[in-house]
Amino acid sequence: MVQLLIGLTGTAQSITLVPNMTPEPTKLPELILSHRIESVDLDEELECGVCNSQIKKTAFLEHLNSCAAGTRIPHLMMNVFFLEDEVVAKDALIERNFIHLLNDEPIELRYSKCLYCQSPEMHVEDGCRIVKRAYYLGGMFQNTEREYSDTIKFLEALRNQAKVLKLKLQQKRKMNRITLFLQIVFQIEDDENFMKSLPANAFSAIKKIEEKDSQAVEELKFELRKKAEEESEFLELARAVCLEKMTEELVVVDIKNPRTTPFEFVNTFF
Ligand SMILES: [Zn+2]
Ligand SMILES: [Zn+2]
């Protein structure tokens, strides 16, 4: 039990600032937690990466079903939106639990299960009575860290796959238009031997376009990988700062008003 406590409270302890300078009651680190909540506006528009038109977010998947029909793009984007909502919900849950800890309200936990106690009986008897609010929050961060970062990584990977497929689809459509144009200009009826039937200069022009297109795909992949790395670094930092700020406030409550009753819980899906 002691080891478990040390393990779970490690994060909170290592990040807690020296408490002899009384922290001012700060505002919630809304900036950090809500950096992903861009808008809840139902009229929000997104640019379709295939046809470049602006589409309302609520109609976006429907649009992709026709605009990117026959590709995996609609399916990938459906999962991206789903996971984006999940990340927002996970951020919001941590924020709510911080407030619950500040106000001594029931904490929202999966299956209403205490992070520290092995059974509900242990929890009521003595269990985590010695665990301060600040440490409990640290435990919550630590417990959800792996799942949170896996969700983000999965989300980034799906979003990046969709971006690459969108570019490829754009390129394919452009090549179809060029091919059709050249078929008309050079009166080529044999679709299968289209390239062989082209005059040399048109042939090399097409080859150049193909080369440039595959280079553009490689460049996009490189850029997306770099952005994904930066994003996860930022996220790690944001979580750490967030925990630090919240811990500062909880330490004050823990000093002024030490816990005397067991934490109460309500179940949560996230
Ligand atoms: Zn489109
Ligand atoms: Zn407990």
Side-chain angles (χ1 to χ4, degrees):
M1 189 61 199
V2 173
Q3 260 186 339
L4 182 72
L5 288 178
I6 291 167
L8 284 170
T9 56
T11 309
Q13 275 172 322
S14 61
I15 289 183
T16 306
L17 295 184
V18 187
N20 59 4
M21 54 173 223
T22 308
E24 282 177 33
T26 53
K27 292 218 169 217
L28 275 180
E30 282 163 37
L31 178 79
I32 296 153
L33 273 179
S34 56
H35 72 278
R36 302 181 163 275
I37 310 168
E38 276 142 19
S39 173
V40 284
D41 181 7
L42 288 179
D43 286 330
E44 183 193 358
E45 290 194 335
L46 301 174
E47 187 181 333
C48 168
V50 184
C51 67
N52 297 114
S53 24
Q54 293 290 324
I55 312 289
K56 272 193 187 174
K57 191 171 179 183
T58 46
F60 198 75
L61 289 176
E62 209 181 319
H63 169 82
L64 281 181
N65 276 333
S66 57
C67 189
T71 69
R72 291 176 54 232
I73 298 169
H75 179 73
L76 288 171
M77 287 309 294
M78 185 182 73
N79 283 297
V80 165
F81 288 152
F82 179 82
L83 291 173
E84 276 177 352
D85 284 348
E86 203 160 301
V87 170
V88 169
K90 284 178 198 295
D91 283 345
L93 177 67
I94 285 272
E95 188 164 354
R96 284 200 305 277
N97 274 335
F98 163 63
I99 307 218
H100 296 327
L101 283 164
L102 269 183
N103 300 331
D104 283 331
E105 296 160 354
I107 306 166
E108 298 174 54
L109 281 179
R110 248 180 229 176
Y111 313 116
S112 306
K113 198 173 171 303
C114 180
L115 293 185
Y116 293 85
C117 302
Q118 287 181 353
S119 67
E121 294 74 31
M122 271 178 74
H123 177 76
V124 176
E125 277 164 27
D126 186 23
C128 56
R129 200 73 55 94
I130 56 159
V131 180
K132 292 184 168 26
R133 296 171 185 86
Y135 292 163
Y136 211 88
L137 186 80
M140 262 181 235
F141 266 81
Q142 203 163 354
N143 264 23
T144 52
E145 198 168 298
R146 184 66 184 268
E147 193 182 311
Y148 188 82
S149 98
D150 284 351
T151 309
I152 299 282
K153 277 183 196 146
F154 191 40
L155 167 61
E156 293 282 333
L158 294 181
R159 194 192 278 136
N160 290 351
Q161 272 182 44
K163 280 184 182 166
V164 171
L165 288 182
K166 282 174 189 170
L167 178 64
K168 283 185 172 174
L169 185 58
Q170 262 188 344
Q171 293 175 342
K172 192 178 156 203
R173 288 192 178 155
K174 177 186 66 187
M175 285 311 274
N176 286 347
R177 285 199 301 275
I178 294 173
T179 307
L180 194 65
F181 174 74
L182 293 176
Q183 270 180 325
I184 294 166
V185 170
F186 296 111
Q187 297 176 335
I188 303 168
E189 279 167 20
D190 185 358
D191 261 10
E192 283 189 15
N193 291 307
F194 168 73
M195 287 299 277
K196 283 183 195 158
S197 316
L198 281 176
N201 56 352
F203 180 88
S204 66
I206 290 234
K207 282 284 160 202
K208 263 193 197 140
I209 295 174
E210 280 176 352
E211 259 170 49
K212 266 185 113 175
D213 281 354
S214 47
Q215 198 185 331
V217 168
E218 289 313 309
E219 278 170 12
L220 178 66
K221 282 184 185 167
F222 177 76
E223 195 187 308
L224 291 175
R225 264 199 303 273
K226 216 173 85 185
K227 269 175 87 176
E229 271 169 33
E230 283 169 8
E231 177 72 11
S232 57
E233 273 170 29
F234 169 77
L235 204 85
E236 227 172 90
L237 182 74
R239 292 259 296 179
V241 173
C242 201
L243 174 60
E244 189 178 297
K245 289 273 169 208
M246 289 175 169
T247 303
E248 277 177 31
E249 291 196 41
L250 288 176
V251 164
V252 177
V253 180
D254 279 325
I255 293 168
K256 280 191 191 162
N257 179 23
R259 291 182 54 220
T260 51
T261 53
F263 288 120
E264 287 176 36
F265 309 114
V266 287
N267 190 19
T268 178
F269 174 73
F270 289 101

XYZ file of all heavy atoms in Angstrom, residues 41 74 104 135 234 249 267:
63
model
N -19.206 26.373 -31.967
C -20.115 27.002 -32.902
C -20.575 26.000 -33.969
O -19.763 25.438 -34.698
C -19.355 28.174 -33.550
C -20.223 28.922 -34.520
O -21.415 28.612 -34.586
O -19.679 29.815 -35.197
N -13.413 9.499 -45.711
C -14.555 9.747 -44.808
C -14.461 8.944 -43.511
O -14.740 9.468 -42.433
C -15.770 9.285 -45.636
C -15.328 9.349 -47.049
C -13.857 9.050 -47.049
N -14.431 20.050 -2.229
C -14.794 18.822 -1.504
C -16.102 18.212 -2.009
O -16.963 17.791 -1.230
C -14.874 19.076 0.004
C -13.474 19.153 0.611
O -12.556 18.502 0.065
O -13.291 19.895 1.589
N -2.239 15.515 -3.957
C -1.667 14.236 -4.403
C -2.693 13.428 -5.194
O -2.362 12.729 -6.138
C -1.184 13.408 -3.207
C 0.005 13.998 -2.485
C 0.348 13.571 -1.204
C 0.797 14.970 -3.087
C 1.440 14.104 -0.536
C 1.878 15.513 -2.422
C 2.195 15.083 -1.145
O 3.261 15.605 -0.499
N 4.428 19.761 -26.968
C 3.627 20.843 -26.390
C 2.628 20.287 -25.371
O 2.454 20.824 -24.284
C 2.876 21.594 -27.497
C 1.826 22.551 -26.977
C 2.198 23.771 -26.439
C 0.484 22.216 -26.993
C 1.249 24.636 -25.924
C -0.479 23.067 -26.482
C -0.096 24.292 -25.958
N -2.948 25.410 -6.092
C -4.201 25.814 -5.434
C -4.664 24.782 -4.417
O -5.167 25.125 -3.357
C -5.301 26.037 -6.476
C -5.021 27.257 -7.320
C -6.238 27.742 -8.085
O -7.340 27.743 -7.501
O -6.072 28.096 -9.256
N -19.609 7.849 -10.773
C -19.064 7.141 -11.936
C -18.953 8.078 -13.136
O -19.732 8.997 -13.308
C -20.004 5.972 -12.280
C -19.388 5.060 -13.319
O -18.171 5.067 -13.531
N -20.221 4.281 -13.984
